[in-house]
Amino acid sequence: MPLHDPEYERGLVWFRRDLRASDHAALYHALRSCKSVWCVFIFDTEILEPLLARDLRHDRRVEFIRASVVELSQALHDVAPNASPNGGSGLIVRHGPARDLVLQVADALKVDAVFVNHDYEPDAIARDDEVTRKLKARGRAFHTFKDQVIFEKDEILTQSATPFSVFTPYKRTWLKTVTPFYVSAYPVELYAGRLAPLYADLRQQPPSLADMGFAKTNLDELDIPAGASGAYSLFDAFTEHIADYHEARDYPGVHGTSCLSVHLRFGTISIRALARAALDLVHRGAAAGAKGAETWLSELIWRDFYFQILHHRPDLARGASFKPAFDRIRWEQGPHAERLFDAWCRGATGYPLIDAAMTQINTTGYMHNRLRMVTASFLAKDLGLDWRWGERYFAEQLNDFDLSANNGGWQWAASSGCDAQPWFRIFNPVTQSQKFDADGAFIRRYLPGLAKLSNETIHAPWLASPAELDRAGIVLGRDYPEAVVDHEAARHATLERYAVVKSAY
């Protein structure tokens, strides 16, 4: 196959949340368009310093990114091992304000153009607009490409050319629109020979966690493999049980999910590869596990859905409710509200499923999706606290934190979002526990102090007899918290609190 004639002499690929060397839109287009291509990743202090300011030194995401960057540099070297007599290409790594350092690297290399994949968050868009203007002033181009999603921005609209705000019709249109073209891989390897060697003054090992002010976490103990190799090992394992996904995904005590969300967040695996695999299984039918694959594909489509919501409503990133009427709700405030929030954050509410879920996120950076819904509902509709408090807490704790999905999930639970649960629907934390953790396996894993309670009382320890509590070695209020609220009373208070939004329905 003849190679495409390059438009530019020199190009630079700026990696951000796309840490892989294969099926990469910006890398492919840079290699196709330039005679020589360099690659850079910047540990952006504008993102990292606020974490340090909040004393989040033990951030698993930073450790995950660093390990993925190390692997990416090796992968770029391996793609073009003969790029230079000194051992091939690799990744230029810097630490500092990305909006400044990318310009410095572009100047140092005298590149004609910088290539990136789209970033959809409002702050990132503003940063890229600034970089575009400054590159243009230097006579350099800035090219961006779709890579994080299958469909973006205005690619899927209603028949009246307006954005979808309900998922099911969005999904139907998504499925009608998708073709093999949209999920095809970018053949980076065709042009890999154009990856340029790293000059001696560009070679630099990624800064250590300590160099950046961070500390090692328990990431290794949690068996969360980083990099593209980690992503594909998880994906390969998931394909062994994807046929059961539609049934197993709701049970936090069962290993029924893909565990790929953090890899999608940082782009160590291509969304096209995952959607292509899911579509293939769906088309092959029941024998190939189509039901599970179809349900999993829906989750990938939800991801696209929330990205397009954020594109059309960037004010959501600043705390606006998707449905403006919900901004009239008066949430609990003051010292009592702060104590309730602290109990929720620490996993000390007295409701075992809630507390086990919060212990899970605090100790692992992960929370099962069913539990994200239940804990979010509990915060807003049992404790009466502003959903934005929980949104911010999850943003700090989740390994896979993604602004659009996190905001979408929290507004869904608080009923203020697009296609959200009705405002009068309130999860009962005890019945949710009985239904989705019937034998208490999940609760016992994260709250071992409750392990000796029966399968009936472990969901609501206050229902245990004094004798059973004594046998289990539990004194409520000492060994395990008493419930911070009564669910039935909280339910009535919530219905009154939400009465101001009745007119929105």
Side-chain angles (χ1 to χ4, degrees):
M1 176 187 298
L3 296 183
H4 182 268
D5 291 333
E7 177 183 358
Y8 301 112
E9 285 290 327
R10 304 159 77 89
L12 177 67
V13 178
W14 178 13
F15 285 81
R16 286 101 71 94
R17 47 177 297 172
D18 43 17
L19 303 178
R20 64 185 186 281
S22 62
D23 190 10
H24 189 287
L27 180 58
Y28 169 78
H29 285 290
L31 292 170
R32 190 170 182 265
S33 303
C34 305
K35 289 183 179 178
S36 297
V37 173
W38 288 267
C39 301
V40 66
F41 177 84
I42 301 166
F43 286 96
D44 192 350
T45 50
E46 291 185 9
I47 296 173
L48 299 180
E49 286 180 353
L51 296 175
L52 295 173
R54 297 196 299 275
D55 198 28
L56 299 175
R57 295 179 60 250
H58 296 86
D59 194 305
R60 298 176 192 87
R61 295 167 293 192
V62 179
E63 186 171 353
F64 181 92
I65 292 168
R66 187 186 180 281
S68 298
V69 164
V70 171
E71 182 175 306
L72 172 61
S73 186
Q74 184 62 47
L76 290 168
H77 172 277
D78 293 344
V79 166
N82 300 316
S84 80
N86 295 324
S89 58
L91 188 65
I92 301 165
V93 181
R94 295 290 182 266
H95 176 227
R99 69 180 73 227
D100 298 328
L101 290 182
V102 71
L103 297 170
Q104 292 179 20
V105 174
D107 288 344
L109 293 170
K110 298 181 173 59
V111 300
D112 303 298
V114 175
F115 296 77
V116 301
N117 289 320
H118 294 164
D119 199 327
Y120 302 95
E121 297 181 6
D123 287 348
I125 292 170
R127 174 203 62 202
D128 287 353
D129 287 346
E130 177 187 327
V131 170
T132 300
R133 292 192 300 272
K134 291 182 176 179
L135 284 171
K136 184 177 180 180
R138 290 163 159 82
R140 298 188 171 95
F142 188 74
H143 298 294
T144 70
F145 304 91
K146 177 178 68 173
D147 189 76
Q148 292 182 40
V149 293
I150 304 301
F151 295 110
E152 65 173 6
K153 301 179 181 179
D154 296 323
E155 287 188 308
I156 291 187
L157 296 171
T158 67
Q159 291 184 344
S160 58
T162 58
F164 281 98
S165 60
V166 178
F167 175 70
T168 299
Y170 175 88
K171 175 184 172 181
R172 284 197 296 264
T173 305
W174 192 103
L175 290 170
K176 289 177 182 177
T177 307
V178 72
T179 65
F181 168 79
Y182 289 104
V183 295
S184 296
Y186 285 98
V188 170
E189 61 279 358
L190 289 179
Y191 299 94
R194 293 178 179 174
L195 280 169
L198 287 186
Y199 304 133
D201 57 345
L202 293 175
R203 293 183 182 278
Q204 178 180 313
Q205 290 296 317
S208 68
L209 291 173
D211 290 338
M212 295 186 286
F214 289 87
K216 189 166 179 58
T217 72
N218 61 345
L219 190 69
D220 292 340
E221 301 166 24
L222 297 172
D223 194 25
I224 303 175
S229 63
Y232 276 97
S233 68
L234 290 174
F235 180 53
D236 289 344
F238 179 55
T239 58
E240 298 295 320
H241 58 88
I242 191 173
D244 301 321
Y245 177 78
H246 60 295
E247 296 176 339
R249 71 187 184 116
D250 269 329
Y251 298 91
V254 175
H255 182 58
T257 62
S258 71
C259 299
L260 284 168
S261 56
V262 66
H263 288 278
L264 279 171
R265 170 62 179 90
F266 296 111
T268 49
I269 196 166
S270 163
I271 182 62
R272 291 175 294 277
L274 301 186
R276 186 168 63 247
L279 285 165
D280 179 59
L281 290 173
V282 170
H283 292 154
R284 284 163 55 190
K291 185 64 175 176
E294 184 178 354
T295 304
W296 187 56
L297 179 62
S298 286
E299 295 303 306
L300 300 180
I301 299 173
W302 267 106
R303 185 173 174 275
D304 273 16
F305 178 67
Y306 280 139
F307 268 103
Q308 66 92 28
I309 290 291
L310 182 62
H311 167 72
H312 291 286
R313 290 288 307 275
D315 60 316
L316 301 182
R318 299 188 295 274
S321 293
F322 183 83
K323 298 172 184 173
F326 283 74
D327 285 328
R328 298 201 299 267
I329 293 176
R330 295 174 64 89
W331 303 103
E332 296 292 325
Q333 296 290 334
H336 179 62
E338 292 172 5
R339 286 193 292 272
L340 290 175
F341 181 61
D342 178 68
W344 180 85
C345 292
R346 291 187 293 109
T349 68
Y351 284 86
L353 186 67
I354 303 298
D355 295 342
M358 295 307 296
T359 301
Q360 181 184 45
I361 195 175
N362 290 335
T363 57
T364 71
Y366 171 79
M367 186 187 286
H368 188 278
N369 188 59
R370 164 62 55 177
L371 300 182
R372 298 187 195 200
M373 294 188 290
V374 176
T375 55
S377 176
F378 186 84
L379 178 126
K381 295 184 177 180
D382 277 80
L383 302 183
L385 302 179
D386 192 335
W387 59 266
R388 298 166 187 84
W389 293 13
E391 182 195 23
R392 286 193 293 270
Y393 190 76
F394 273 26
E396 292 182 347
Q397 298 297 326
L398 284 172
N399 300 330
D400 63 2
F401 165 68
D402 198 305
L403 193 158
S404 60
N406 191 51
N407 180 272
W410 272 96
Q411 296 221 42
W412 182 91
S415 301
S416 61
C418 56
D419 201 12
Q421 66 172 343
W423 62 273
F424 48 82
R425 184 184 179 197
I426 303 170
F427 282 136
N428 183 318
V430 175
T431 56
Q432 287 287 308
S433 184
Q434 292 167 337
K435 183 175 181 179
F436 296 107
D437 190 34
D439 61 0
F442 179 80
I443 292 172
R444 288 185 172 90
R445 183 186 311 164
Y446 288 100
L447 301 178
L450 301 182
K452 293 181 181 180
L453 290 177
S454 69
N455 289 352
E456 290 72 34
T457 59
I458 197 169
H459 308 287
W462 58 87
L463 297 179
S465 67
E468 183 180 359
L469 288 172
D470 185 61
R471 287 194 299 271
I474 298 171
V475 174
L476 292 181
R478 185 194 70 185
D479 304 300
Y480 183 70
E482 294 180 340
V484 294
V485 292
D486 174 79
H487 173 70
E488 193 58 30
R491 179 179 177 277
H492 287 295
T494 292
L495 294 177
E496 292 180 6
R497 176 177 288 110
Y498 273 72
V500 298
V501 305
K502 285 183 179 179
S503 60
Y505 285 81

